[in-house]
Amino acid sequence: MRPEEIIDLRSDTVTLPTEEMLDAIRRAEIGDDVFREDPTVNRLEKIAAEKMGKEAALLVTSGTQANLVSLLSNANRGELVILESESHIYWYEVGGISAIAELLPWPIKSSLGALAPEDVEASIRPKNIHFPRSSLICLENTHNRHGGTIVTPNQIKAVSEVAQKHGLKLYLDGARIFNAAVALNADVKEFTKHVDNLMFCLSKGLCCPVGSLLVGTDAFIEKSRKMRKILGGGMRQAGIIAAPGIVALESMVNRLEEDHRNARRLAEGIAKIGGIQIDLSRVQTNMVCFDVSDMGITADLFTSKLKQKGVSALALAKNKVRMVTHRGIEKEHIEKSISAVESVSHELS
Ligand SMILES: Cc1ncc(COP(=O)(O)O)c(C=O)c1O
């Protein structure tokens, strides 16, 4: 099978830029962004800040860089950061929170990614000679390892009240915050108004080739600009990255709904297949996670058998498989993917 024939459901990061984005890249007005002279970057940052209801924004290279910059800007060395125990920052960012930001991560369990305010409050260390200062709470929305689940505006608000009461900052890893907003048919500001600052990614369901934005107060962004520089993330003619970002914010958000519909169709199809365990209540946006233990194989083996049938999925844990819908995945691909899973299941039974 040729690579272009594979239905790639590993992640929404495999999306390619649209023709409109490629045109925008060619036409972009550019300058040196370290000197703040790239008009396209400046425009993207302004649009991003307005959309999120914050004072300012900063274009960075990736979601991981955005999270690391925010940790460096929001907290000081040795301080305690409360985060969800399966959060991207804790699991997938090479331990940068400790290795580079020199912070103490304090992971707490949640229900589908939404931290219970009482658990957050119980984790805040009181003022005492023995304890580090607790300075930051991090949320994630949608929650990746929980399967693209949504943390609702009310759930964020409840945590923000605890943060305010104890003088902690509240940060949101909103890599896929537009998926949450579109799924709840809510303005993205409904989520962002409760946090001090956040990041979101252009390079996932929004289809840009690269880039994420940090958003917050003028002071936070000014400090973050310096932190981005120290990490080697100051870019020069970054307008060629920003140009597709503007297209994404202006025209790619609403189509996420289509990805959500396809994910639901995929999940419901897969749920009928023997040997698959899937919790449909977790399928809230563009991710479909399921367990293959009943087939008596590991997720690695399952995904390699599936690939032979033309579908690429991700082994998330020993028995857990993830599929993600995105632009380029149409209804017909969903039907083919369900048939491929069915065929692997038949082979094994
Ligand atoms: C919730 C979340 N945060 C951060 C990131 C990191 O983004 P990047 O891959 O651009 O570093 C990801 C990537 O999948 C993510 O899912």
Side-chain angles (χ1 to χ4, degrees):
M1 193 169 291
R2 285 180 296 149
E4 62 271 24
E5 286 170 353
I6 301 267
I7 300 170
D8 196 344
L9 298 176
R10 287 171 303 165
S11 174
D12 47 11
T13 55
V14 303
T15 43
L16 300 176
T18 62
E19 283 303 313
E20 197 188 344
M21 287 178 178
L22 294 171
D23 285 346
I25 292 170
R26 276 198 67 78
R27 287 196 318 266
E29 255 190 282
I30 50 179
D32 189 328
D33 182 50
V34 173
F35 292 131
R36 320 259 318 246
E37 287 169 6
D38 188 303
T40 311
V41 172
N42 293 342
R43 205 169 132 230
L44 171 65
E45 291 177 345
K46 189 162 179 285
I47 294 171
E50 276 166 14
K51 275 222 181 296
M52 296 295 166
K54 302 287 179 201
E55 288 172 4
L58 181 73
L59 176 66
V60 297
T61 59
S62 66
T64 302
Q65 189 178 67
N67 283 338
L68 184 55
V69 166
S70 88
L71 290 167
L72 290 164
S73 297
N74 277 320
N76 300 303
R77 177 171 170 255
E79 291 178 345
L80 184 145
V81 178
I82 296 166
L83 37 60
E84 205 273 339
S85 61
E86 297 207 39
S87 61
H88 200 277
I89 294 177
Y90 193 57
W91 269 77
Y92 294 121
E93 300 185 2
V94 210
I97 185 169
S98 308
I100 297 175
E102 300 188 90
L103 297 166
L104 176 66
W106 198 266
I108 55 180
K109 287 198 162 53
S110 75
S111 162
L112 303 188
L115 296 176
E118 57 276 17
D119 292 345
V120 173
E121 189 153 32
S123 304
I124 298 172
R125 306 288 85 199
K127 278 198 186 115
N128 178 301
I129 183 72
H130 299 91
F131 298 139
R133 196 176 95 86
S134 306
S135 56
L136 179 67
I137 303 165
C138 298
L139 299 177
E140 183 174 314
N141 206 7
T142 60
H143 198 291
N144 184 337
R145 270 189 73 82
H146 282 288
T149 50
I150 299 166
V151 183
T152 65
N154 275 342
Q155 289 169 325
I156 301 175
K157 180 168 180 270
V159 174
S160 83
E161 283 164 3
V162 175
Q164 274 162 29
K165 184 173 156 195
H166 295 274
L168 278 75
K169 289 264 173 58
L170 181 59
Y171 170 73
L172 173 65
D173 171 348
R176 295 182 181 81
I177 190 62
F178 284 113
N179 290 84
V182 166
L184 294 191
N185 197 18
D187 191 295
V188 74
K189 292 189 196 75
E190 291 302 311
F191 299 82
T192 61
K193 69 183 180 192
H194 301 298
V195 303
D196 292 289
N197 40 63
L198 73 141
M199 75 88 162
F200 69 92
C201 293
L202 296 169
S203 58
K204 302 196 161 62
L206 299 185
C207 301
C208 290
V210 62
S212 293
L213 282 135
L214 259 183
V215 198
T217 62
D218 284 328
F220 169 78
I221 292 300
E222 201 183 313
K223 187 168 180 194
S224 294
R225 196 175 288 280
K226 195 98 174 167
M227 294 303 171
R228 181 186 70 171
K229 191 78 179 83
I230 208 170
L231 296 175
M235 297 177 281
R236 301 299 177 174
Q237 286 73 34
I240 59 165
I241 295 173
I246 294 171
V247 175
L249 290 182
E250 286 175 348
S251 64
M252 299 296 284
V253 171
N254 291 341
R255 65 151 306 287
L256 293 172
E257 208 180 331
E258 200 180 314
D259 299 341
H260 300 170
R261 264 200 307 276
N262 281 334
R264 170 79 11 209
R265 220 176 262 140
L266 178 65
E268 286 172 356
I270 284 177
K272 296 188 186 120
I273 299 170
I276 302 274
Q277 282 174 30
I278 182 167
D279 177 355
L280 288 175
S281 72
R282 285 180 181 245
V283 184
Q284 300 176 1
T285 55
N286 66 334
M287 295 189 185
V288 178
C289 294
F290 54 91
D291 191 295
V292 293
S293 332
D294 288 357
M295 287 188 183
I297 59 169
T298 61
D300 275 334
L301 192 57
F302 177 89
T303 50
S304 69
K305 282 184 177 296
L306 196 66
K307 183 122 188 238
Q308 289 163 13
K309 303 196 184 297
V311 178
S312 228
L314 206 71
L316 208 59
K318 187 163 175 255
N319 301 107
K320 207 169 151 194
V321 176
R322 185 186 84 173
M323 292 177 166
V324 184
T325 55
H326 50 80
R327 181 175 169 275
I329 299 298
E330 311 290 343
K331 211 171 156 197
E332 71 196 78
H333 302 117
I334 298 297
E335 302 312 324
K336 279 188 188 158
S337 302
I338 296 169
S339 302
V341 174
E342 204 159 20
S343 160
V344 173
S345 161
H346 281 157
E347 268 174 30
L348 292 166
S349 55

